Amino acid sequence: MKQFLLVFLLLGTFTAFAQNPIDGNWKGTRETDNGTFEVNYTFKVEGNELKGTWKTQFGEAKIENGKVDGKKISYSISFNDMKINSTGELINDNEIVVKNERGEMKLKRVKE
């Protein structure tokens, strides 16, 4: 019985510390009429909620209305009186594809 309890507690501990593969820092670039600019995201998954920030050379904003469904994500960014709704999908541990009305962008995991 003690061995079963020990195994149960160890499995519970590993599950509690398991990190979602979407968590972390991500970087992509977007081509615009004004040239190429870099986009940086910090994602944190809490349950099925996506939190974090979006940052470019023009400023920073919090992720709003973020949701996670398996490998799929959705969120909004409000910036300069605009609201941009985006969807995305984790392709592998190092790549997320994000889509919105401005097009598609590949994000690569930033290795720490």
Side-chain angles (χ1 to χ4, degrees), residues 52-99:
T53 57
W54 168 91
K55 187 176 182 180
T56 72
Q57 69 249 31
F58 304 113
E60 184 173 328
K62 287 190 178 215
I63 290 174
E64 302 169 347
N65 305 315
K67 294 183 177 39
V68 177
D69 183 10
K71 293 183 176 189
K72 296 183 185 284
I73 60 174
S74 62
Y75 59 90
S76 300
I77 300 289
S78 295
F79 188 75
N80 287 344
D81 298 326
M82 295 185 312
K83 185 173 185 177
I84 301 171
N85 298 309
S86 300
T87 60
E89 184 172 0
L90 180 70
I91 304 302
N92 58 52
D93 286 344
N94 295 306
E95 185 176 16
I96 295 176
V97 174
V98 173
K99 298 177 183 178

Side-chain angles (χ1 to χ4, degrees), residues 20-36:
N20 189 294
I22 296 170
D23 286 352
N25 297 314
W26 298 84
K27 184 185 292 188
T29 57
R30 174 145 341 243
E31 297 295 326
T32 70
D33 295 339
N34 297 324
T36 302

Side-chain angles (χ1 to χ4, degrees), residues 1-37:
M1 183 65 174
K2 286 182 182 180
Q3 289 176 339
F4 175 75
L5 183 59
L6 179 62
V7 169
F8 180 75
L9 289 173
L10 284 174
L11 287 175
T13 301
F14 290 136
T15 302
F17 291 108
Q19 186 177 20
N20 189 294
I22 296 170
D23 286 352
N25 297 314
W26 298 84
K27 184 185 292 188
T29 57
R30 174 145 341 243
E31 297 295 326
T32 70
D33 295 339
N34 297 324
T36 302
F37 73 95

